[in-house]
Protein backbone atom coordinates (compact mmCIF):
# COMPACT_ATOMS: atom_id res chain seq x y z
CA UNK A 1 0.00 0.00 0.00
CA UNK A 2 0.85 3.63 0.01
CA UNK A 3 3.49 4.79 2.48
CA UNK A 4 1.75 6.73 5.23
CA UNK A 5 4.74 7.45 7.44
CA UNK A 6 4.70 9.07 10.83
CA UNK A 7 5.52 12.35 12.42
CA UNK A 8 6.85 11.61 15.88
CA UNK A 9 7.58 14.50 18.21
CA UNK A 10 11.11 15.50 17.39
CA UNK A 11 11.65 13.32 14.31
CA UNK A 12 9.92 12.83 10.96
CA UNK A 13 9.91 9.57 9.03
CA UNK A 14 10.62 10.04 5.30
CA UNK A 15 11.41 7.53 2.57
CA UNK A 16 14.94 7.85 1.21
CA UNK A 17 14.96 6.61 -2.39
CA UNK A 18 18.75 6.35 -2.52
CA UNK A 19 18.86 4.09 0.54
CA UNK A 20 15.54 2.43 -0.41
CA UNK A 21 14.27 2.64 3.15
CA UNK A 22 12.46 4.93 5.58
CA UNK A 23 14.70 7.20 7.63
CA UNK A 24 14.07 9.30 10.73
CA UNK A 25 15.09 12.93 10.31
CA UNK A 26 15.39 15.30 13.31
CA UNK A 27 12.79 18.07 13.41
CA UNK A 28 15.49 20.78 13.23
CA UNK A 29 16.45 19.42 9.76
CA UNK A 30 12.81 19.38 8.58
CA UNK A 31 10.60 22.12 7.16
CA UNK A 32 7.15 22.26 5.57
CA UNK A 33 6.23 23.77 2.21
CA UNK A 34 3.17 24.41 0.08
CA UNK A 35 3.62 23.52 -3.58
CA UNK A 36 1.26 25.00 -6.17
CA UNK A 37 0.70 22.90 -9.30
CA UNK A 38 0.13 24.37 -12.75
CA UNK A 39 -3.63 23.93 -12.40
CA UNK A 40 -3.60 25.98 -9.19
CA UNK A 41 -3.96 23.11 -6.71
CA UNK A 42 -2.07 23.45 -3.45
CA UNK A 43 -0.11 20.40 -2.35
CA UNK A 44 1.51 20.00 1.06
CA UNK A 45 4.94 18.51 1.68
CA UNK A 46 7.59 18.05 4.32
CA UNK A 47 11.19 18.46 3.24
CA UNK A 48 14.27 17.34 5.14
CA UNK A 49 18.05 17.47 4.81
CA UNK A 50 19.98 14.25 5.26
CA UNK A 51 23.33 14.15 7.03
CA UNK A 52 25.06 13.97 3.65
CA UNK A 53 23.23 17.10 2.41
CA UNK A 54 20.55 15.58 0.17
CA UNK A 55 16.99 16.94 0.29
CA UNK A 56 14.13 14.48 0.81
CA UNK A 57 10.49 15.35 0.09
CA UNK A 58 7.39 13.71 1.51
CA UNK A 59 3.86 14.57 0.34
CA UNK A 60 1.42 14.82 3.25
CA UNK A 61 -2.23 15.64 3.84
CA UNK A 62 -3.18 19.17 4.88
CA UNK A 63 -4.14 17.81 8.31
CA UNK A 64 -0.72 16.23 8.84
CA UNK A 65 0.96 19.37 7.46
CA UNK A 66 -0.99 21.54 9.93
CA UNK A 67 -0.09 19.26 12.86
CA UNK A 68 3.61 19.15 12.03
CA UNK A 69 5.83 21.18 14.35
CA UNK A 70 8.27 21.85 11.49
CA UNK A 71 8.72 25.48 10.49
CA UNK A 72 7.19 26.69 7.22
CA UNK A 73 9.49 27.98 4.47
Amino acid sequence: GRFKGRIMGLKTEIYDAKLKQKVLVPLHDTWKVKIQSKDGKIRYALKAKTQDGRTLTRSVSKDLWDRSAAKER
Side-chain angles (χ1 to χ4, degrees), residues 2-4 35 43-46 57-61 64:
R2 184 167 176 203
F3 167 65
K4 291 188 176 141
I35 302 167
R43 302 193 187 278
Y44 299 90
L46 296 177
T57 303
R58 172 181 164 199
S59 295
V60 295
S61 67
L64 200 56

Side-chain angles (χ1 to χ4, degrees), residues 7 9-12 25-31 68-71:
I7 295 178
L10 301 176
K11 294 192 178 199
T12 300
V25 182
L27 188 62
H28 61 82
D29 289 332
T30 307
W31 64 97
S68 172
K71 300 219 184 279

Side-chain angles (χ1 to χ4, degrees), residues 16-69:
D16 187 328
K18 182 177 179 182
L19 301 179
K20 297 182 182 168
Q21 66 184 16
K22 297 173 191 174
V23 294
L24 288 176
V25 182
L27 188 62
H28 61 82
D29 289 332
T30 307
W31 64 97
K32 55 187 182 179
V33 294
K34 291 180 188 174
I35 302 167
Q36 187 167 2
S37 62
K38 289 180 182 178
D39 64 359
K41 259 189 178 173
I42 300 287
R43 302 193 187 278
Y44 299 90
L46 296 177
K47 291 192 172 251
K49 275 276 192 220
T50 60
Q51 288 182 341
D52 61 0
R54 293 177 295 116
T55 301
L56 305 177
T57 303
R58 172 181 164 199
S59 295
V60 295
S61 67
K62 180 170 181 354
D63 180 55
L64 200 56
W65 191 86
D66 287 337
R67 287 187 292 138
S68 172

